Amino acid sequence: MASIAGPEIERLIQLLSKLPGLGPRSARRAALHLVKKREQLLGPLADAMQIARERIITCDTCGNIDTISPCTLCSDTRRDDALLVVVEDVADLWALERATATNGRYHVLGGVLSPLDGIGPKDLALDPLVARVAAGRVKEVILALNATVDGQTTAHYITDLLAPHGVSVTRLAHGVPVGGELDYLDEGTLTAAIRQRTAV
Ligand code: ZN
């Protein structure tokens, strides 16, 4: 595409287009919007990004991102130490927190096992997970991993890994989504829902 703006604006567009969900067209629209709203938006955004660059760190305990370590969630004394929720990445932790789905603690793996992509156990935060469980306060580990082949392979691996520690290991139910209609579900989801049926 030919340049329609100077290099500074083109650079802004190019960087914005690297954001998830933004293609070249929407990046252009976003750049124009930012430049037009220089006082209300561009300035505060640049300040927020500067602060993020300087202060945001990864929590040494759970792998969440925050400006402190242990993070806000790990420091919260109202949360349940007996419940540890294992997630693939921070986005999943945030999704569960948005839903206020659990009052437990979290552990971010930083990925899932994926032999095809060359991701093995050493690439994930598994040793720290075992160490947290071995410390003795955790009673149940919930594997909140994606219902993908890699997610489920990882769930099996962690189940075996934690077996000697005598904690209860559970995973998310698979099945009919809330508000879902059976006619629209794929065969895999329907089969899982039948297998994991519960008494009413
Ligand atoms: Zn933390």
Side-chain angles (χ1 to χ4, degrees), residues 94-177:
W94 287 2
L96 288 167
E97 276 302 291
R98 270 202 313 276
T100 56
T102 169
N103 188 38
R105 304 280 181 192
Y106 289 97
H107 190 84
V108 180
L109 291 176
V112 283
L113 297 174
S114 178
L116 285 178
D117 298 319
I119 299 172
K122 289 284 157 229
D123 300 309
L124 308 180
L126 290 170
D127 290 345
L129 172 63
V130 172
R132 289 181 78 182
V133 170
R137 300 183 75 173
V138 176
K139 299 281 174 274
E140 179 182 358
V141 174
I142 301 178
L143 302 174
L145 300 172
N146 292 329
T148 57
V149 172
D150 288 345
Q152 296 312 298
T153 304
T154 308
H156 283 294
Y157 186 88
I158 293 175
T159 305
D160 290 345
L161 199 62
L162 297 181
H165 295 279
V167 287
S168 160
V169 180
T170 56
R171 60 181 188 179
L172 300 186
H174 299 160
V176 182

Side-chain angles (χ1 to χ4, degrees), residues 67-109:
T67 52
I68 49 172
S69 176
C71 70
T72 306
L73 294 178
C74 286
S75 312
D76 188 345
T77 52
R78 291 165 302 180
R79 298 192 79 103
D80 186 357
D81 286 327
L83 193 57
L84 187 59
V85 184
V86 176
V87 292
E88 177 176 337
D89 66 30
V90 174
D92 301 325
L93 186 163
W94 287 2
L96 288 167
E97 276 302 291
R98 270 202 313 276
T100 56
T102 169
N103 188 38
R105 304 280 181 192
Y106 289 97
H107 190 84
V108 180
L109 291 176

